Amino acid sequence: MTQPDMSFENAARAEGFLRIAGVDEVGRGPLAGPVMAAAVMLDPVRVPLGLNDSKVLCETRRSALVTELEGCAQIGLGTASVAEIDSHNILRASHIAMLRAVAALPEPPDFLLIDGNLLPRGLTLPARAVVKGDSRSVSIAAASIVAKIRRDYIMRDLAQHFPGYGWETNAGYPTKSHKAALTSLGVTPHHRRSFKPVHNILYQAKNPTP
């Protein structure tokens, strides 16, 4: 399995950039909850060991790495709400969250490494899009871990107010039990109405079969 390294960061430094932030988002696929982005600017001499795509790490390891990152890196967080997801689309909302995360960094970066194949509209900084960046760049990997931990926390909190959907374990993703709960319990204010399973349930409620 490919391990992320400093290749992209080193290439940017070779071009004269000093403050390089990795940017990633979490939460494009769920039926509920916001999309969360993180921007992480690592100290090149204090890079935590074991940074990788958040999806290949267990929760315990992710939490430990976030604690370590909070002590040695600069972190910015940004979200896009369910209303923004439904108003725009999930890709545009993800990019909005990324721009907010970059703006929330304690110090402004001068170069961005962004996960994916597209750069957000409205970006004013030099940047590079990196496909599968969370498994190739340590800065993007760090951002993926921070975003995952923070979004999971939000979903666990929402689960306390809207029990029955399993958000504390499924984080709003369309598991079988989550979709069954949608049918039996109905749609909450935190569900993405533009997503097909939620849209279909709302449509059926308005247009019951005779």
Side-chain angles (χ1 to χ4, degrees), residues 11-54:
R13 288 192 182 93
E15 295 179 23
F17 299 106
L18 300 177
R19 299 187 305 278
I20 301 157
V23 186
D24 199 6
E25 53 73 28
V26 171
R28 286 178 64 167
L31 302 180
V35 60
M36 166 72 72
V40 176
M41 195 153 47
L42 294 170
D43 180 341
V45 300
R46 296 178 64 196
V47 178
L49 296 176
L51 291 173
N52 208 334
D53 177 358
S54 64

Side-chain angles (χ1 to χ4, degrees), residues 152-176:
D152 284 354
Y153 177 84
I154 289 172
M155 295 310 296
R156 283 195 295 269
D157 182 63
L158 288 177
Q160 301 300 311
H161 302 282
F162 295 89
Y165 298 91
W167 294 342
E168 66 277 10
T169 55
N170 64 40
Y173 280 87
T175 61
K176 184 177 180 180

Side-chain angles (χ1 to χ4, degrees), residues 115-199:
D115 185 58
N117 61 355
L118 294 172
L119 295 177
R121 295 202 312 264
L123 193 62
T124 58
L125 291 169
R128 177 174 180 176
V130 183
V131 176
K132 297 184 178 179
D134 44 13
S135 62
R136 300 171 70 194
S137 157
V138 288
S139 297
I140 297 176
S144 79
I145 293 165
V146 172
K148 170 68 174 167
I149 285 290
R150 296 303 179 219
R151 188 178 186 281
D152 284 354
Y153 177 84
I154 289 172
M155 295 310 296
R156 283 195 295 269
D157 182 63
L158 288 177
Q160 301 300 311
H161 302 282
F162 295 89
Y165 298 91
W167 294 342
E168 66 277 10
T169 55
N170 64 40
Y173 280 87
T175 61
K176 184 177 180 180
S177 59
H178 185 187
K179 289 190 285 187
L182 263 173
T183 301
S184 61
L185 300 175
V187 175
T188 74
H190 299 285
H191 278 103
R192 302 172 181 180
R193 284 155 170 73
S194 57
F195 279 42
K196 189 173 181 180
V198 181
H199 173 81

